[in-house]
Amino acid sequence: MARESTNQAASANGKEPSPSRPASVQPDQEQTPHLATGDVDPATVVVDEDDEARLPDVTEDGNEAIAEGRLAIGHAAIENAVKLAPTSPGVYRMLNAAHDVLYVGKAKNVRKRLSSYARASAPQPARILRMIAATVSVEIISTGTETEALLLEANLIKQLRPRFNVQLRDDKSFPYILITGDHWAPQILKHRGAQTRPGQYFGPFASAGAVNRTITALQRAFLIRSCTDAFFESRTRPCLLYQIKRCAGPCTREIDFPGYTELVREAKDFLSGRSRAVKQQLAGEMEKASTELEFETAALYRDRLAALSAIQSQQGINPRTVEEADLFAIHQEGGYSCVEVFFFRTGQNWGNRAYFPKAEKSFTPEEVLASFLAQFYDDKPPPKLILLSHAIEESELMASALSIKAGFKVEVTTPQRGEKKELITHALTNAREALGRKLADTATQSRLLTGLVTTLGLSRPPRRIEVYDNSHIQGTNAVGAFIVAGPDGFIKNQYRKFNIKSEGLTPGDDYAMMREVLQRRFKRLMAAVPDGDTAKAPAEDDGVPQWPDLVVIDGGRGQLNAAKEIFDTLGLSQVSLLAVAKGPDRDAGRETLFMPGREAIKLEPRDPVLYFIQRLRDEAHRFVIGSHRKLRKKDIREAGLQEIPGIGPSRKRALLHHFGTLKEIERASIADLGKVPGVSAESARKIFEFFHTQPG
């Protein structure tokens, strides 16, 4: 869907939540990676992966006996609420003795709905009986209409994550393609977040990878620039993208204003669904150039046509009769649910993504889908058509609520025949296969965690593993980080990084860096649990435990002792420690494992548990190296090439004139650097080593 935007920035954070729109809760954290808050230049992004969706813990709907006394207390609490409840629409929240929200529901008549819970003689599912038994009070918010109640219910469920509701997990904003409108030579960008910058937005796309691939192909097809405005204004000659025919070179007037404007128009037409007309126009221009024996020009049009064809071939299925729609298909198996979401815009498939919402086994597919849908569109614009695999009970109410939210009519339907039914069938197949793969991966992960118990002598399989590493170059730009893994694999939205802050730190002192990171991490955790009982610590928003069962350190006995010193100081005895030392010549498969008070552990090179530990260590290394490089590049951008010893303003200017961009200087060989006027062989070596020295 194309969207024009010139509006002001969104409201600032920190305002008090209103009854009708509670503010979202932000988790306390050091620094959170991968949060895109603005426009992203695809030429500068090396890796931008979406968080992996995970399976939730299955909450048993249970046949356990419920104490009559507790059930009576719950019925009495709800009965008291019924006396004061309005007969108008609203939202109710059931709370336990600790004032935690157990369930959020909405009703056209709140008193009537609560009365159905208050009747002790009424038959109820085990899930409802357990909810009633845990309830000690009920809070009610009145709304003007049932539609408002539906929207408020979805917002509260996402914010409060009640135990007895279906919960949308792994929710995040989707990326868009932005063609800017605040410069005479518009640029093409990947964009997440508030659409406040002037320009035209196309999306949503299911993943960052889909956007990056599309932008790369669009650059080849329409030659639109992706560089920042500051870089654009500083150019004195075209950069590498012009040389490889991915930009028309408007920065140095290689193309005039009318010609570039025409390219931008063609790109917008293609993204707006007029792809056939654009391709016909390019084909006509190619034929004309060929007829006039302008073969180089004809080859350029041929390459642009090929790029457009590549975009459409990557999109897989492209419907003939569906212009703009989101498609939701649900499959349940083994107590889990998978919702597969497809995005169709301008008659093109812009990707799909699997979600694994948290829901008790007793929920039907229709119930899960209805709750999922309301939460999904709480912070996202809906399309004109929503196609469902299962008919939900309140589809008309949902359509009405989304129509009010969108400002145009939204249709929610379950197709029974034709192409739309074929799309649903295709999505159901994807949902079934995605859930099957995830269940298989989870089973393998469970076996590996059980293997850890045997190998390391743990008391039980760890639910949260934190792996720590640090990175620096001779003490500069020092960064520490940890990654998180659990029964469902890596939990990327829990990764954290720490900029090393200690002023008295000796450059390159890895032990001191590790001490600082561990102190900052676990002091914060202990502050959340004053009595030190980690069993009482609340889980993260998505149900992941806050406290690790196992901490893995990249290093040998020395790093282990440094970590144990911190743990002893803080009185941490319930967290297991493991250090992984590289083998001779840093060979993978010959690692030595160290644990406090035990002899060193050597595993066979092909041991699955050793391979699992290597994967954990390598993922931590990948993440911390990436964090270090981002910090280092930021410093280079701010300080310029003068940060390299012996490189002053004159040589910096000569290097930029010769290579065009900092990225090309970074890619250059020593021989290429030596060809720059004023750069000696020794200076070329220093420049090369500056960019290619591996951080520690």
Side-chain angles (χ1 to χ4, degrees), residues 68 71-72 75 79 115-124 129 132:
E68 290 295 330
L71 203 55
H75 279 125
E79 185 64 47
S115 296
S116 67
Y117 294 120
R119 291 193 297 271
S121 59
Q124 300 281 12
L129 291 176
I132 294 172

Side-chain angles (χ1 to χ4, degrees), residues 375-391:
Q375 295 175 58
F376 185 85
Y377 287 115
D378 177 62
D379 58 355
K380 300 177 183 69
K384 296 177 181 178
L385 177 63
I386 296 173
L387 303 176
L388 307 179
S389 61
H390 295 67

Side-chain angles (χ1 to χ4, degrees), residues 276-499:
R276 181 176 299 178
V278 173
K279 293 180 74 172
Q280 287 177 346
Q281 181 180 348
L282 291 178
E285 295 290 343
M286 181 179 67
E287 290 293 335
K288 179 181 177 183
S290 179
T291 302
E292 296 175 354
L293 305 183
E294 297 286 344
F295 297 118
E296 290 187 5
T297 304
L300 178 61
Y301 285 118
R302 178 203 60 199
D303 294 342
R304 293 178 61 189
L305 278 168
L308 295 183
S309 298
I311 296 175
Q312 294 178 323
S313 64
Q314 290 170 0
Q315 292 169 340
I317 182 171
N318 290 300
R320 299 180 303 276
T321 60
V322 178
E323 180 72 12
E324 175 184 323
D326 286 349
L327 190 153
F328 297 81
I330 183 170
H331 178 74
Q332 291 184 326
E333 183 179 338
Y336 295 102
S337 300
C338 174
V339 179
E340 191 80 29
V341 185
F342 278 77
F343 302 99
F344 297 103
R345 297 295 185 274
T346 65
Q348 302 174 46
N349 175 11
W350 282 359
N352 59 293
R353 184 178 177 189
Y355 289 85
F356 303 94
K358 185 175 182 179
E360 294 201 6
K361 289 182 177 180
S362 59
F363 280 104
T364 65
E366 291 79 8
E367 290 173 324
V368 174
L369 192 57
S371 185
F372 178 91
L373 202 63
Q375 295 175 58
F376 185 85
Y377 287 115
D378 177 62
D379 58 355
K380 300 177 183 69
K384 296 177 181 178
L385 177 63
I386 296 173
L387 303 176
L388 307 179
S389 61
H390 295 67
I392 61 176
E393 184 177 348
E394 297 178 326
S395 59
E396 291 185 5
L397 178 63
M398 182 71 68
S400 175
L402 294 179
S403 297
I404 293 173
K405 180 181 178 68
F408 51 79
K409 184 179 180 181
V410 175
E411 181 183 359
V412 179
T413 183
T414 305
Q416 301 300 317
R417 63 183 66 85
E419 185 185 39
K420 294 175 183 176
K421 177 63 176 177
E422 293 174 3
L423 294 174
I424 287 289
T425 302
H426 176 73
L428 279 170
T429 300
N430 278 263
R432 182 174 62 254
E433 293 176 350
L435 184 54
R437 287 192 300 270
K438 189 59 67 174
L439 288 170
D441 291 345
T442 302
T444 301
Q445 189 81 356
S446 297
R447 287 195 296 270
L448 291 171
L449 293 176
T450 303
L452 274 182
V453 173
T454 304
T455 301
L456 304 181
L458 306 179
S459 58
R460 60 186 174 87
R463 292 186 60 211
R464 180 184 179 109
I465 303 172
E466 292 184 356
V467 188
Y468 289 77
D469 197 3
N470 54 51
S471 178
H472 61 92
I473 291 181
Q474 297 178 346
T476 62
N477 301 125
V479 176
F482 69 84
I483 62 104
V484 181
D488 296 313
F490 294 118
I491 310 172
K492 293 189 176 181
N493 63 353
Q494 298 287 317
Y495 290 12
R496 296 294 182 268
K497 63 180 178 180
F498 303 79
N499 292 332

Side-chain angles (χ1 to χ4, degrees), residues 24 26 33-40 48-51 158 161 168-177 190-195 201-209 211 341 343 350 353 355 375-381 493:
S24 59
Q26 298 296 332
H34 309 314
L35 290 182
T37 56
D39 298 334
V40 180
D48 188 357
E49 298 175 332
D50 289 319
D51 294 340
K158 285 187 66 175
R161 298 183 180 271
L168 169 60
R169 294 156 49 84
D170 305 304
D171 187 33
K172 64 186 297 183
S173 64
F174 290 100
Y176 282 73
I177 287 177
K190 177 177 64 184
H191 181 93
R192 283 192 194 268
Q195 297 179 0
Y201 295 83
F202 302 90
F205 287 78
S207 67
V211 173
V341 185
F343 302 99
W350 282 359
R353 184 178 177 189
Y355 289 85
Q375 295 175 58
F376 185 85
Y377 287 115
D378 177 62
D379 58 355
K380 300 177 183 69
N493 63 353

